[in-house]
Amino acid sequence: MSRLLGIVPYLCAVFVGTTAVKECYELFEFTCIGDPSCIMLESMFPRNETKTDCPSESTACSHQFASFSSKGVTVTTTTGGCLGDDDVMNLEARCYSHTELESIHGVLDNLKEFGSLLGMDFGEAGMCLCNTDLCNGAVGRSVSIAVPFMFLGIALSTALSN
C-alpha cells in the first residue's frame, strides 16, 4: 500500500501537466510557392529538424505553422521546439486549429503583425502541443503529420470559396 501511495504524486503530475519534457525536435521549415524566386528563398532557409535537450522548466513540445500571401506568392513557415508552462498557457496537449487559436488572446496578433511587416497578408495558422519526449518531429509524426494535411484542406476550402 505504501508503494502505491508513493506513486500518487507522479500520477497526479501526468494529469495536471507538470511533467517535464527532456527532449524535443527543434524544427524549422520554410516553403514558398507562386514565384520563380521561391527556389532561391527556400535554399536560403533549408529545412532543419534536430533533437534538442529542453530546459528543466519545459513541459511540452510544439509543432506550429503559419502562412502568408501576397500577389500570388504563398509563404509557409513551420517551427517547433520546447515550451514551458508560461508558453503553453495551460493549453491541453493536442492540435489547435486557426479558429481555436483566434480565441486564445494574443496568439495570432504577433503573426498578423509579422505578416504586415513583410508586406504580406496573414493566412492560416495551426499548432500542436504534446507532452512526451520527441513527440513533435520525425518520431512523433502520428500527431504532427496530420496537421499540415488538416490545414491544407482548410486552406483549399477557403481558396475555393473565394
Side-chain angles (χ1 to χ4, degrees):
M1 183 68 166
S2 64
R3 277 191 179 165
L4 182 60
L5 291 175
I7 65 167
V8 168
Y10 298 106
L11 293 174
C12 291
V14 170
F15 293 114
V16 298
T18 58
T19 58
V21 174
K22 294 183 176 108
E23 284 185 300
C24 293
Y25 284 99
E26 195 73 35
L27 308 168
F28 179 79
E29 185 172 13
F30 175 90
T31 57
C32 176
I33 55 171
D35 191 89
S37 63
C38 286
I39 295 169
M40 181 194 64
L41 286 171
E42 286 182 347
S43 69
M44 292 170 58
F45 301 102
R47 184 180 196 289
N48 182 26
E49 182 175 317
T50 56
K51 289 180 188 180
T52 186
D53 293 331
C54 296
S56 60
E57 65 274 4
S58 295
T59 57
C61 297
S62 68
H63 186 117
Q64 59 270 342
F65 88 95
S67 66
F68 306 89
S69 62
S70 177
K71 300 176 185 169
V73 176
T74 301
V75 171
T76 303
T77 60
T78 304
T79 59
C82 306
L83 296 176
D85 279 341
D86 291 342
D87 301 316
V88 298
M89 301 171 286
N90 296 318
L91 297 174
E92 295 176 36
R94 66 179 183 88
C95 293
Y96 293 84
S97 69
H98 182 95
T99 304
E100 290 173 306
L101 292 176
E102 283 179 332
S103 68
I104 301 168
H105 178 70
V107 170
L108 296 184
D109 295 340
N110 291 336
L111 291 173
K112 290 175 183 175
E113 187 177 322
F114 179 70
S116 70
L117 288 172
L118 294 174
M120 302 184 91
D121 296 322
F122 173 61
E124 291 288 324
M127 175 177 68
C128 287
L129 299 174
C130 52
N131 56 10
T132 58
D133 289 338
L134 303 174
C135 58
N136 68 326
V139 175
R141 293 283 185 204
S142 60
V143 170
S144 57
I145 198 162
V147 176
F149 291 110
M150 178 176 74
F151 290 110
L152 177 61
I154 293 168
L156 286 174
S157 67
T158 303
L160 295 174
S161 68
N162 289 337

